[in-house]
Amino acid sequence: MEKLIDVDDILLKVKLLKKEDQMSLLERILYLINSKEDQSNTSKLSSISGKGSNIWKNTDIDQYVINEREW
């Protein structure tokens, strides 16, 4: 069974660290938090597959391409 981590216990241990180690730990925690934020805001291109299909449903694609090449 996994033991739950208590934030107060962690803070007590952090207080025992030298200031340089506390700053290093802070930087690492910030990096960890920011990297998780970046991942959650990232979408895969495949997630938009088919989203615009209703726009093209009544369009003759071959004719569209011919028209685009003319101008």
Side-chain angles (χ1 to χ4, degrees):
M1 178 183 259
E2 189 175 324
K3 182 181 176 186
L4 294 177
I5 299 173
D6 184 43
V7 175
D8 291 327
D9 288 340
I10 295 172
L11 285 175
L12 287 174
K13 291 180 181 181
V14 169
K15 287 179 182 179
L16 298 174
L17 296 172
K18 292 185 273 183
K19 185 172 183 171
E20 298 84 25
D21 292 332
Q22 289 176 343
M23 295 301 288
S24 175
L25 178 61
L26 179 60
E27 289 174 358
R28 293 169 71 180
I29 291 170
L30 288 172
Y31 177 80
L32 179 68
I33 292 169
N34 287 332
S35 66
K36 285 187 178 183
E37 275 183 9
D38 293 343
Q39 291 174 357
S40 65
N41 292 333
T42 304
S43 297
K44 292 185 178 185
L45 188 56
S46 61
S47 69
I48 63 170
S49 176
K51 298 291 184 192
S53 61
N54 61 333
I55 295 172
W56 298 98
K57 68 180 174 186
N58 295 324
T59 303
D60 179 0
I61 300 301
D62 293 325
Q63 188 59 47
Y64 176 82
V65 171
I66 291 169
N67 292 342
E68 286 298 305
R69 289 180 178 163
E70 287 178 353
W71 68 283

